[in-house]
Amino acid sequence: PRAKRDSFHLLIGSRLFLRSSPVELKSNLLFCIVDNMNRGVHLMNEARQKYDLASLNLDAGNKSIAASAFHSAERYLMTGISLLGNECWETKYNLAMKLNDAASE
């Protein structure tokens, strides 16, 4: 079933993220983590989790832009923006600004 698959992807991405070093997060492992977590994003309930994933989507989007993978960059950046919610300009201004700025390019 789809719900179980999405839950499993979220679990895989979360565990990879928690066990990754900062150096590993700058490698292509970042895309594996973000892709898996994005598949289960609708299962996230806590704002903190969503902000963390939005930040990872920003990193993946910027890395995609640097590699001229603009379609992938758009997907990551728009997913990051969708995770922020309406209050983001008051609670996570810098993250909201960076995501929207990168997406506008």
Side-chain angles (χ1 to χ4, degrees), residues 22-102:
V23 172
E24 290 174 318
L25 287 175
K26 292 183 181 180
S27 71
N28 286 335
L29 181 61
L30 173 67
F31 296 115
C32 182
I33 292 169
V34 174
D35 288 339
N36 275 289
M37 291 180 79
N38 281 348
R39 288 193 60 181
V41 70
H42 62 279
L43 301 171
M44 289 183 170
N45 297 321
E46 295 181 30
R48 173 76 179 162
Q49 288 178 314
K50 291 180 180 182
Y51 292 145
D52 288 344
L53 183 53
S55 182
L56 289 173
N57 272 283
L58 173 63
D59 294 341
N62 285 334
K63 191 167 180 157
S64 295
I65 289 170
S68 298
F70 301 114
H71 180 70
S72 295
E74 176 189 15
R75 185 170 37 94
Y76 291 123
L77 296 169
M78 296 309 289
T79 300
I81 290 169
S82 72
L83 289 167
L84 293 180
N86 295 331
E87 74 286 343
C88 69
W89 292 104
E90 296 170 12
T91 59
K92 292 290 182 183
Y93 180 83
N94 287 337
L95 179 57
M97 182 61 96
K98 288 176 184 177
L99 278 164
N100 282 281
D101 185 47

Side-chain angles (χ1 to χ4, degrees), residues 1-17:
R2 179 175 171 83
K4 286 187 178 185
R5 278 196 318 252
D6 292 347
S7 176
F8 189 66
H9 282 288
L10 180 59
L11 178 66
I12 290 170
S14 298
R15 288 203 176 161
L16 284 171
F17 174 65

